């Protein structure tokens, strides 16, 4: 009867303290590169035209070790009016992401969907501060659905591979 409530006798098949569960998280985050251009200052501060914003972003990954990957958000924001370019901000914001005991498809999804989602609010703040420090109203980027974009790109890639597969079969059949 004393053994029924004994935690040490009810450990199951996994040894105490086993490191076999999937785990992922942000180890560190940092600005890798930041460029702010205000090419027409001080004239650009007097422009009255409605600015046209162009925001581009890209996600990259660089494996640092077996369990650590550097995920990089590259964001470029350009403000133009009829008078010219008011400012250009280019940011490379990175995070060291630790992942272990995860299948490859989960590592890929975490690297390109979840990690950017975790890093983006901080990159957004850096962009807003850089634009404000250049003398303009802070640029508040809209939230981005990284998971939705990831799923969309996977579907697009599968469609392209599906379309390429019959073409490859026809080519190999002719040879």
């Amino acid at each position: 009867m004393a053994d029924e409530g004994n935690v040490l006798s009810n450990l199951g098949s996994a040894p105490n303290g086993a490191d076999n569960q999937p785990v992922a998280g942000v180890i560190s985050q940092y600005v890798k590169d930041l460029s702010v251009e205000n090419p027409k200052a001080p004239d650009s501060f007097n422009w009255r035209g409605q600015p046209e914003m162009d925001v581009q972003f890209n996600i990259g990954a660089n494996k640092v070790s077996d369990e650590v990957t550097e995920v990089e958000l590259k964001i470029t924001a350009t403000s133009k009016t009829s008078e010219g370019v008011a400012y250009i901000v280019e940011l490379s914001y990175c995070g060291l992401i630790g992942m272990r005991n995860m299948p490859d498809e989960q590592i890929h999804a975490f690297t390109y969907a979840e990690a950017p989602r975790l890093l983006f609010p901080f990159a957004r703040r850096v962009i807003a501060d850089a634009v404000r420090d250049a003398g303009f109203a802070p640029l508040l980027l809209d939230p981005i659905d990284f998971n939705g974009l990831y799923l969309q790109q996977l579907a697009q890639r599968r469609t392209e591979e599906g379309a390429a597969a019959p073409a490859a079969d026809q080519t190999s059949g002719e040879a």
Side-chain angles (χ1 to χ4, degrees), residues 88-171:
I88 302 169
V89 177
E90 296 173 327
L91 173 65
S92 173
Y93 194 83
C94 297
L96 292 178
I97 309 298
M99 294 175 274
R100 79 172 158 255
N101 301 325
M102 294 173 65
D104 287 342
E105 63 273 1
Q106 287 181 353
I107 289 173
H108 193 267
F110 196 90
T111 301
Y112 292 98
E114 186 62 16
R117 184 190 69 80
L118 295 171
L119 297 174
F120 182 73
F122 301 96
R124 180 181 186 223
R125 172 70 187 268
V126 172
I127 294 281
D129 288 349
V131 171
R132 183 201 63 221
D133 292 347
F136 298 93
L139 173 61
L140 299 177
L141 297 174
D142 290 335
I144 297 171
D145 180 9
F146 289 101
N147 188 49
L149 291 172
Y150 177 76
L151 293 174
Q152 180 183 9
Q153 287 183 347
L154 279 182
Q156 181 180 354
R157 187 172 298 149
R158 286 185 185 128
T159 301
E160 290 171 358
E161 288 173 358
D169 290 342
Q170 291 172 359
T171 306

Side-chain angles (χ1 to χ4, degrees), residues 30-35 72 90-94 126:
Y30 49 93
V31 172
K32 191 168 191 175
D33 189 25
L34 175 63
S35 171
E72 179 178 28
E90 296 173 327
L91 173 65
S92 173
Y93 194 83
C94 297
V126 172

